[in-house]
Amino acid sequence: MAFLNDDIRKQITEVFAPMKKNVNIALFVKESGCDSCEDTQGYLEEMAELSDKISLSVYDFDVDVEKASELNIEMTPSLVLLDENNNDLGIKFNGIPAGHEINSFISSILEVSGVGEEFPQELVERIQKIDKPVNIKVFITLSCPHCSGAVSKAHKLALMNPNINAEMIEANTFGELSEKFNVSGVPKIVFNEGADLLGDQPLEEFLNTIESL
Amino acid sequence: MSLDFSLSFNTEEKSNRLDPSIIYDTIIIGGGPAGLNAALYATRKGMNVGIIANRIGGQVLDTSSVENYLGFNSLAGEELMQKFEKHVKEYEVAMTSDVLVKSIENDYIKKINASNGKIYQTKSIIIATGSKPRMLNVPGEKEYMGKGVAYCAICDAPLFAGKDVIITGGGNSAVEAAIDIAKIANEVKLVHRSEFRADKVLLDKLYSLENVEIHLQTQIQEIHGEMLMTHITALDKKENKEIAIKADGLFVEIGYLPKSEIFEGLVEMNEKKEIIVNNKAETSTKGIYASGDVTDVPYKQIIISAADGAKAALSANDYVNKLK
Ligand SMILES: Cc1cc2nc3c(=O)[nH]c(=O)nc-3n(C[C@H](O)[C@H](O)[C@H](O)COP(=O)(O)OP(=O)(O)OC[C@H]3O[C@@H](n4cnc5c(N)ncnc54)[C@H](O)[C@@H]3O)c2cc1C
């Protein structure tokens, strides 16, 4: 089954054209008990075809246990974006980044490949000063138009500071986890499994919350 | 699972950002129907135009389908806005998105302070910041916001699949939300304090649904729960008694409030904090225009906002021409 139609393929190919560095996607799937694994893999294979700078490695969560633990994979489907040297940058998507999340997925790929957006100096300094470990979970639904903005910001923070890691969590696929974090509105942004923000907040709000942890 | 792809990414945006060293003829604050149509008219008049918007597309992006924009029988809100944006991008319009305007210094050359730390300069300003959802203002609402209480039906509806949901409101947005959510929820209860004012075509659809129960003349008084909301209490005004309705979620669709806080003191507003404009979209301050949901023009609709955006652009053009 083709996930992307010709029109979308063409558009994405253009968006990927300026990519500078290679980006490696590590996808973790499971043989059974994972409804969306097959679709996710098919979708990522199609995306990876759209640029020769993107490569995809598919791992079996139950078999490639070491790799999964190295990249802190806890559920399936789950994927991380690695840089050209296969370094983990703390950028993860749990659940298929389709629907509106195609936008955060593309944006994070571009960021990793070195064609990201530049921030003003003060913000960069504030981000680089963060010296404690921070985990950001962004719960989303695929039909939410502004959730991808929150995911992109979280990923960008992770990219700019190695103390930060950030993950998208598709709330329908991971219902139990969403219930654990009382997600009934998206995007819900949870910091270190405690403090949270609701809605696609400006970057300043992310930083205020992180600094208050 | 939704595999529909909603690609809103585009390559041009990064190359044509607003430049703080340029003095624009007009800067439009807001990228909804009002802002985008203002940009189209202004650029076609030959003005040097910039748009600053938090989210290009505005509220319409959160609308599942639009059926009353002339020329389009029915299309997704997002699709309509992509058409608007594409049309504007046929011209030289500088756009900076994902940025909030923080404040404005009004002078001969007006300065716009933005959340990215930059200051943009312009001869005239068109305010098109739209509106945001109105809250019920009842006890429990803030406490259970994001814990059952929601304001964006298309965003949060998937979280209530198979659950019981209350929608409150009597206008088109509320009825549309009820119709959408009824497709996936177990049971939907529409609770509204007076009578419906939604379009008849929508009401006919609503009445045909089996899992929707309607409570008119019923005013929500409090939202209750533990970790998450569990029920509401409301006053049934016909029977004059208090009732409790169990639900996992409450979608509030009771209208909108203007996003005008940052313009307080800069332009005159009415008691609803809507910016007062005359029939040329002029505000009380020279060189500053406003259009769309943020103004005191009645009937908040896409076509009305867009049309008023055109007026604001034409007025701003007259003003800037006279400065020369
Ligand atoms: C669920 C729903 C369904 C609807 N259905 C319909 C319908 O079917 N038909 C119809 O005609 N109308 C409908 N409407 C109403 C319609 O969406 C609005 O009337 C219209 O969007 C108003 O346009 P606008 O340009 O004034 O403002 P908005 O669309 O609200 O756009 C405001 C813009 O300003 C930006 N902004 C705000 N503050 C700032 C700031 N400080 N700095 C920078 N940028 C800022 C925003 O990011 C956005 O780009 C619906 C509304 C909703 C919410």
Side-chain angles (χ1 to χ4, degrees):
Chain A
M1 171 175 141
F3 294 93
L4 306 168
N5 65 31
D6 288 345
D7 193 36
I8 292 188
R9 270 169 206 269
K10 203 173 134 249
Q11 288 180 53
I12 300 176
T13 309
E14 279 169 28
V15 173
F16 282 154
M19 283 178 66
K20 288 186 197 140
K21 295 180 275 183
N22 285 352
V23 177
N24 298 321
I25 304 173
L27 168 69
F28 290 79
V29 294
K30 247 179 14 185
E31 280 285 307
S32 63
C34 172
D35 290 341
S36 57
C37 278
E38 211 181 303
D39 280 350
T40 308
Q41 182 171 344
Y43 163 58
L44 291 186
E45 281 166 359
E46 286 182 27
M47 288 292 267
E49 276 169 24
L50 302 179
S51 165
D52 54 14
K53 294 216 158 53
I54 301 177
S55 65
L56 172 67
S57 313
V58 182
Y59 299 95
D60 186 321
F61 183 70
D62 294 323
V63 177
D64 303 302
V65 183
E66 226 168 86
K67 192 79 187 167
S69 97
E70 180 193 320
L71 295 172
N72 300 310
I73 304 295
E74 288 160 345
M75 47 200 128
T76 55
S78 180
L79 61 113
V80 289
L81 300 187
L82 306 173
D83 72 7
E84 51 188 347
N85 303 316
N86 278 320
N87 291 316
D88 182 8
L89 305 161
I91 296 180
K92 195 189 288 172
F93 293 87
N94 300 298
I96 187 168
H100 281 273
E101 290 309 317
I102 191 173
N103 296 301
S104 61
F105 184 51
I106 292 175
S107 150
S108 298
I109 289 179
L110 291 178
E111 289 284 352
V112 173
S113 90
V115 284
E117 193 181 349
E118 277 187 33
F119 285 166
Q121 196 51 35
E122 317 98 73
L123 274 184
V124 175
E125 278 167 22
R126 263 180 91 182
I127 296 166
Q128 284 167 350
K129 262 196 209 128
I130 297 164
D131 54 5
K132 58 202 159 200
V134 179
N135 165 264
I136 311 176
K137 291 182 173 41
V138 185
F139 289 89
I140 56 99
T141 61
L142 298 181
S143 60
C144 164
H146 53 269
C147 286
S148 66
V151 173
S152 300
K153 276 173 229 169
H155 281 167
K156 175 88 180 175
L157 289 173
L159 192 66
M160 291 175 70
N161 184 325
N163 293 315
I164 304 174
N165 71 72
E167 49 190 328
M168 177 204 89
I169 299 169
E170 204 281 300
N172 271 350
T173 310
F174 303 106
E176 262 176 48
L177 188 65
S178 308
E179 264 172 39
K180 180 176 157 202
F181 286 96
N182 288 323
V183 178
S184 68
V186 289
K188 179 159 179 171
I189 308 156
V190 182
F191 297 85
N192 286 351
E193 311 211 338
D196 62 47
L197 290 174
L198 191 66
D200 178 19
Q201 305 277 345
L203 202 68
E204 287 85 351
E205 279 306 311
F206 279 73
L207 290 173
N208 293 342
T209 312
I210 291 174
E211 285 160 358
S212 72
L213 288 174
Chain B
M1 180 173 41
S2 143
L3 279 173
D4 288 344
F5 293 97
S6 306
L7 191 66
S8 54
F9 218 86
N10 61 65
T11 33
E12 298 114 292
E13 219 156 276
K14 288 193 174 122
S15 57
N16 196 13
R17 293 262 170 109
L18 265 79
D19 182 344
S21 68
I22 292 177
I23 298 174
Y24 289 90
D25 290 328
T26 196
I27 288 183
I28 298 159
I29 307 174
L36 291 173
N37 206 37
L40 179 68
Y41 270 73
T43 183
R44 285 174 55 88
K45 280 282 166 196
M47 299 178 90
N48 190 1
V49 184
I51 301 182
I52 306 176
N54 186 25
R55 234 173 121 204
I56 300 281
Q59 282 173 58
V60 185
L61 296 178
D62 294 336
T63 306
S64 50
S65 83
V66 176
E67 301 182 348
N68 55 9
Y69 195 86
L70 187 66
F72 299 103
N73 296 8
S74 168
L75 77 180
E78 189 172 34
E79 234 179 298
L80 181 66
M81 294 323 290
Q82 281 174 359
K83 287 183 192 294
F84 282 15
E85 188 182 345
K86 205 165 160 215
H87 192 170
V88 172
K89 284 191 169 157
E90 299 279 315
Y91 299 87
E92 281 284 305
V93 175
M95 280 194 198
T96 292
S97 57
D98 254 319
V99 164
L100 277 173
V101 169
K102 293 277 185 197
S103 63
I104 287 168
E105 287 164 50
N106 182 35
D107 211 325
Y108 177 70
I109 298 298
K110 303 173 195 328
K111 294 198 170 70
I112 298 178
N113 299 309
S115 58
N116 59 2
K118 298 198 170 118
I119 299 171
Y120 300 103
Q121 311 180 73
T122 179
K123 294 176 195 164
S124 68
I125 291 177
I126 297 173
I127 299 172
T129 45
S131 55
K132 55 172 188 249
R134 180 196 292 275
M135 295 178 59
L136 276 170
N137 284 326
V138 297
E141 183 176 23
K142 284 218 174 91
E143 205 178 332
Y144 293 107
M145 191 183 289
K147 301 192 171 107
V149 179
Y151 302 84
C152 174
I154 67 166
C155 304
D156 297 337
L159 303 169
F160 295 92
K163 300 198 170 165
D164 295 336
V165 177
I166 299 169
I167 319 273
T168 182
N172 284 346
S173 321
V175 175
E176 273 167 21
I179 294 168
D180 277 353
I181 294 171
K183 289 178 201 145
I184 58 163
N186 176 44
E187 197 163 292
V188 169
K189 295 198 168 103
L190 199 148
V191 177
H192 180 48
R193 61 175 182 180
S194 55
E195 297 298 322
F196 281 125
R197 51 173 202 284
D199 296 346
K200 183 169 178 301
V201 286
L202 292 173
L203 288 174
D204 289 346
K205 215 192 263 175
L206 183 74
Y207 286 123
S208 75
L209 299 173
E210 275 171 8
N211 61 340
V212 178
E213 192 180 290
I214 295 166
H215 296 259
L216 295 175
Q217 300 295 344
T218 305
Q219 182 135 17
I220 297 182
Q221 291 183 314
E222 188 169 349
I223 298 157
H224 309 263
E226 286 158 33
M227 278 297 278
L228 298 171
M229 79 165 270
T230 52
H231 65 287
I232 62 162
T233 43
L235 179 69
D236 178 338
K237 294 196 260 189
K238 284 169 302 195
E239 307 280 324
N240 197 22
K241 65 167 197 224
E242 195 179 273
I243 54 169
I245 305 176
K246 277 198 190 159
D248 306 296
L250 168 66
F251 284 81
V252 181
E253 299 283 350
I254 55 168
Y256 286 81
L257 290 175
K259 275 199 196 165
S260 58
E261 303 89 344
I262 56 170
F263 310 109
E264 202 99 48
L266 179 70
V267 292
E268 269 173 32
M269 298 179 192
N270 65 13
E271 72 290 343
K272 292 192 221 156
K273 298 287 173 207
E274 293 170 332
I275 297 175
I276 299 172
V277 290
N278 64 15
N279 62 12
K280 286 164 122 182
E282 292 167 325
T283 68
S284 58
T285 303
K286 253 192 164 172
I288 301 184
Y289 305 84
S291 53
D293 279 13
V294 75
T295 68
D296 65 344
V297 173
Y299 311 121
K300 311 303 190 205
Q301 288 289 295
I302 301 167
I303 201 155
I304 293 172
S305 300
D308 282 345
K311 275 199 253 170
L314 297 173
S315 293
N317 183 53
D318 285 346
Y319 169 79
V320 171
N321 279 343
K322 282 185 196 132
L323 291 178
K324 282 175 186 161

PDB file of all heavy atoms in Angstrom, chain A residues 28-40 75-78 173-174:
ATOM      1  N   PHE A  28      11.970   0.803  15.716  1.00  0.00           N
ATOM      2  CA  PHE A  28      11.768  -0.434  16.467  1.00  0.00           C
ATOM      3  C   PHE A  28      10.331  -0.910  16.293  1.00  0.00           C
ATOM      4  O   PHE A  28       9.402  -0.154  16.558  1.00  0.00           O
ATOM      5  CB  PHE A  28      12.095  -0.232  17.949  1.00  0.00           C
ATOM      6  CG  PHE A  28      13.571  -0.046  18.164  1.00  0.00           C
ATOM      7  CD1 PHE A  28      14.170   1.183  17.911  1.00  0.00           C
ATOM      8  CD2 PHE A  28      14.363  -1.113  18.569  1.00  0.00           C
ATOM      9  CE1 PHE A  28      15.544   1.347  18.074  1.00  0.00           C
ATOM     10  CE2 PHE A  28      15.729  -0.953  18.736  1.00  0.00           C
ATOM     11  CZ  PHE A  28      16.326   0.270  18.477  1.00  0.00           C
ATOM     12  N   VAL A  29      10.205  -2.154  15.836  1.00  0.00           N
ATOM     13  CA  VAL A  29       8.872  -2.736  15.642  1.00  0.00           C
ATOM     14  C   VAL A  29       8.814  -4.079  16.371  1.00  0.00           C
ATOM     15  O   VAL A  29       9.816  -4.536  16.930  1.00  0.00           O
ATOM     16  CB  VAL A  29       8.561  -2.951  14.141  1.00  0.00           C
ATOM     17  CG1 VAL A  29       8.457  -1.621  13.424  1.00  0.00           C
ATOM     18  CG2 VAL A  29       9.621  -3.825  13.492  1.00  0.00           C
ATOM     19  N   LYS A  30       7.647  -4.678  16.352  1.00  0.00           N
ATOM     20  CA  LYS A  30       7.454  -5.979  16.995  1.00  0.00           C
ATOM     21  C   LYS A  30       6.694  -6.884  16.053  1.00  0.00           C
ATOM     22  O   LYS A  30       5.851  -6.409  15.301  1.00  0.00           O
ATOM     23  CB  LYS A  30       6.647  -5.800  18.289  1.00  0.00           C
ATOM     24  CG  LYS A  30       7.470  -6.094  19.484  1.00  0.00           C
ATOM     25  CD  LYS A  30       6.876  -5.949  20.841  1.00  0.00           C
ATOM     26  CE  LYS A  30       5.446  -5.816  21.180  1.00  0.00           C
ATOM     27  NZ  LYS A  30       5.306  -5.570  22.627  1.00  0.00           N
ATOM     28  N   GLU A  31       6.997  -8.166  16.088  1.00  0.00           N
ATOM     29  CA  GLU A  31       6.321  -9.133  15.213  1.00  0.00           C
ATOM     30  C   GLU A  31       4.824  -9.173  15.471  1.00  0.00           C
ATOM     31  O   GLU A  31       4.019  -9.118  14.565  1.00  0.00           O
ATOM     32  CB  GLU A  31       6.904 -10.536  15.448  1.00  0.00           C
ATOM     33  CG  GLU A  31       8.216 -10.767  14.741  1.00  0.00           C
ATOM     34  CD  GLU A  31       8.031 -10.984  13.241  1.00  0.00           C
ATOM     35  OE1 GLU A  31       7.226 -11.861  12.871  1.00  0.00           O
ATOM     36  OE2 GLU A  31       8.687 -10.269  12.440  1.00  0.00           O
ATOM     37  N   SER A  32       4.470  -9.285  16.756  1.00  0.00           N
ATOM     38  CA  SER A  32       3.034  -9.376  17.045  1.00  0.00           C
ATOM     39  C   SER A  32       2.694  -8.433  18.199  1.00  0.00           C
ATOM     40  O   SER A  32       3.560  -8.016  18.959  1.00  0.00           O
ATOM     41  CB  SER A  32       2.667 -10.809  17.413  1.00  0.00           C
ATOM     42  OG  SER A  32       3.355 -11.157  18.592  1.00  0.00           O
ATOM     43  N   GLY A  33       1.445  -8.110  18.296  1.00  0.00           N
ATOM     44  CA  GLY A  33       0.993  -7.244  19.377  1.00  0.00           C
ATOM     45  C   GLY A  33       1.305  -5.777  19.133  1.00  0.00           C
ATOM     46  O   GLY A  33       1.387  -4.997  20.069  1.00  0.00           O
ATOM     47  N   CYS A  34       1.525  -5.402  17.886  1.00  0.00           N
ATOM     48  CA  CYS A  34       1.762  -3.987  17.590  1.00  0.00           C
ATOM     49  C   CYS A  34       0.972  -3.645  16.339  1.00  0.00           C
ATOM     50  O   CYS A  34       1.374  -3.966  15.233  1.00  0.00           O
ATOM     51  CB  CYS A  34       3.254  -3.729  17.390  1.00  0.00           C
ATOM     52  SG  CYS A  34       3.614  -2.060  16.787  1.00  0.00           S
ATOM     53  N   ASP A  35      -0.182  -3.033  16.552  1.00  0.00           N
ATOM     54  CA  ASP A  35      -1.099  -2.794  15.436  1.00  0.00           C
ATOM     55  C   ASP A  35      -0.533  -1.888  14.357  1.00  0.00           C
ATOM     56  O   ASP A  35      -0.805  -2.063  13.185  1.00  0.00           O
ATOM     57  CB  ASP A  35      -2.409  -2.158  15.943  1.00  0.00           C
ATOM     58  CG  ASP A  35      -3.218  -3.157  16.738  1.00  0.00           C
ATOM     59  OD1 ASP A  35      -2.948  -4.365  16.575  1.00  0.00           O
ATOM     60  OD2 ASP A  35      -4.074  -2.719  17.528  1.00  0.00           O
ATOM     61  N   SER A  36       0.234  -0.883  14.776  1.00  0.00           N
ATOM     62  CA  SER A  36       0.631   0.121  13.790  1.00  0.00           C
ATOM     63  C   SER A  36       2.072  -0.038  13.320  1.00  0.00           C
ATOM     64  O   SER A  36       2.588   0.792  12.590  1.00  0.00           O
ATOM     65  CB  SER A  36       0.401   1.526  14.359  1.00  0.00           C
ATOM     66  OG  SER A  36       1.105   1.676  15.564  1.00  0.00           O
ATOM     67  N   CYS A  37       2.740  -1.135  13.739  1.00  0.00           N
ATOM     68  CA  CYS A  37       4.153  -1.299  13.373  1.00  0.00           C
ATOM     69  C   CYS A  37       4.347  -1.426  11.854  1.00  0.00           C
ATOM     70  O   CYS A  37       5.232  -0.804  11.274  1.00  0.00           O
ATOM     71  CB  CYS A  37       4.752  -2.512  14.072  1.00  0.00           C
ATOM     72  SG  CYS A  37       5.271  -2.131  15.772  1.00  0.00           S
ATOM     73  N   GLU A  38       3.482  -2.231  11.247  1.00  0.00           N
ATOM     74  CA  GLU A  38       3.653  -2.477   9.823  1.00  0.00           C
ATOM     75  C   GLU A  38       3.454  -1.184   9.023  1.00  0.00           C
ATOM     76  O   GLU A  38       4.241  -0.850   8.141  1.00  0.00           O
ATOM     77  CB  GLU A  38       2.636  -3.530   9.392  1.00  0.00           C
ATOM     78  CG  GLU A  38       3.121  -4.396   8.263  1.00  0.00           C
ATOM     79  CD  GLU A  38       2.043  -5.406   7.882  1.00  0.00           C
ATOM     80  OE1 GLU A  38       1.608  -6.180   8.769  1.00  0.00           O
ATOM     81  OE2 GLU A  38       1.632  -5.397   6.699  1.00  0.00           O
ATOM     82  N   ASP A  39       2.393  -0.470   9.381  1.00  0.00           N
ATOM     83  CA  ASP A  39       2.124   0.801   8.698  1.00  0.00           C
ATOM     84  C   ASP A  39       3.276   1.783   8.906  1.00  0.00           C
ATOM     85  O   ASP A  39       3.685   2.485   7.989  1.00  0.00           O
ATOM     86  CB  ASP A  39       0.845   1.453   9.251  1.00  0.00           C
ATOM     87  CG  ASP A  39      -0.404   0.818   8.656  1.00  0.00           C
ATOM     88  OD1 ASP A  39      -0.256   0.022   7.705  1.00  0.00           O
ATOM     89  OD2 ASP A  39      -1.513   1.121   9.146  1.00  0.00           O
ATOM     90  N   THR A  40       3.789   1.825  10.116  1.00  0.00           N
ATOM     91  CA  THR A  40       4.859   2.766  10.404  1.00  0.00           C
ATOM     92  C   THR A  40       6.084   2.450   9.550  1.00  0.00           C
ATOM     93  O   THR A  40       6.696   3.340   8.956  1.00  0.00           O
ATOM     94  CB  THR A  40       5.238   2.732  11.904  1.00  0.00           C
ATOM     95  OG1 THR A  40       4.037   2.901  12.657  1.00  0.00           O
ATOM     96  CG2 THR A  40       6.212   3.836  12.258  1.00  0.00           C
ATOM     97  N   MET A  75       8.696   1.263  23.907  1.00  0.00           N
ATOM     98  CA  MET A  75       7.419   0.810  23.334  1.00  0.00           C
ATOM     99  C   MET A  75       7.586   0.689  21.814  1.00  0.00           C
ATOM    100  O   MET A  75       8.597   1.112  21.272  1.00  0.00           O
ATOM    101  CB  MET A  75       6.320   1.802  23.703  1.00  0.00           C
ATOM    102  CG  MET A  75       6.681   3.261  23.475  1.00  0.00           C
ATOM    103  SD  MET A  75       5.615   4.365  24.432  1.00  0.00           S
ATOM    104  CE  MET A  75       6.796   5.393  25.286  1.00  0.00           C
ATOM    105  N   THR A  76       6.577   0.132  21.166  1.00  0.00           N
ATOM    106  CA  THR A  76       6.641   0.035  19.697  1.00  0.00           C
ATOM    107  C   THR A  76       5.307   0.469  19.095  1.00  0.00           C
ATOM    108  O   THR A  76       4.271   0.251  19.719  1.00  0.00           O
ATOM    109  CB  THR A  76       6.922  -1.402  19.228  1.00  0.00           C
ATOM    110  OG1 THR A  76       5.934  -2.255  19.798  1.00  0.00           O
ATOM    111  CG2 THR A  76       8.303  -1.858  19.592  1.00  0.00           C
ATOM    112  N   PRO A  77       5.290   1.045  17.904  1.00  0.00           N
ATOM    113  CA  PRO A  77       6.480   1.452  17.165  1.00  0.00           C
ATOM    114  C   PRO A  77       7.111   2.690  17.788  1.00  0.00           C
ATOM    115  O   PRO A  77       6.418   3.536  18.333  1.00  0.00           O
ATOM    116  CB  PRO A  77       5.925   1.783  15.773  1.00  0.00           C
ATOM    117  CG  PRO A  77       4.520   2.238  16.031  1.00  0.00           C
ATOM    118  CD  PRO A  77       4.048   1.443  17.208  1.00  0.00           C
ATOM    119  N   SER A  78       8.442   2.739  17.680  1.00  0.00           N
ATOM    120  CA  SER A  78       9.155   3.879  18.212  1.00  0.00           C
ATOM    121  C   SER A  78      10.350   4.113  17.293  1.00  0.00           C
ATOM    122  O   SER A  78      10.944   3.157  16.800  1.00  0.00           O
ATOM    123  CB  SER A  78       9.605   3.556  19.635  1.00  0.00           C
ATOM    124  OG  SER A  78      10.304   4.634  20.192  1.00  0.00           O
ATOM    125  N   THR A 173      -2.351   5.414  20.312  1.00  0.00           N
ATOM    126  CA  THR A 173      -1.576   4.177  20.268  1.00  0.00           C
ATOM    127  C   THR A 173      -1.143   3.766  21.673  1.00  0.00           C
ATOM    128  O   THR A 173      -1.130   2.592  22.013  1.00  0.00           O
ATOM    129  CB  THR A 173      -0.325   4.366  19.377  1.00  0.00           C
ATOM    130  OG1 THR A 173      -0.744   4.921  18.139  1.00  0.00           O
ATOM    131  CG2 THR A 173       0.399   3.061  19.138  1.00  0.00           C
ATOM    132  N   PHE A 174      -0.754   4.742  22.467  1.00  0.00           N
ATOM    133  CA  PHE A 174      -0.266   4.446  23.807  1.00  0.00           C
ATOM    134  C   PHE A 174      -1.256   4.944  24.857  1.00  0.00           C
ATOM    135  O   PHE A 174      -0.986   5.850  25.636  1.00  0.00           O
ATOM    136  CB  PHE A 174       1.140   5.021  23.990  1.00  0.00           C
ATOM    137  CG  PHE A 174       2.100   4.507  22.950  1.00  0.00           C
ATOM    138  CD1 PHE A 174       2.532   5.311  21.903  1.00  0.00           C
ATOM    139  CD2 PHE A 174       2.520   3.186  22.989  1.00  0.00           C
ATOM    140  CE1 PHE A 174       3.379   4.823  20.918  1.00  0.00           C
ATOM    141  CE2 PHE A 174       3.358   2.679  21.996  1.00  0.00           C
ATOM    142  CZ  PHE A 174       3.798   3.497  20.964  1.00  0.00           C
TER     143      PHE A 174
END
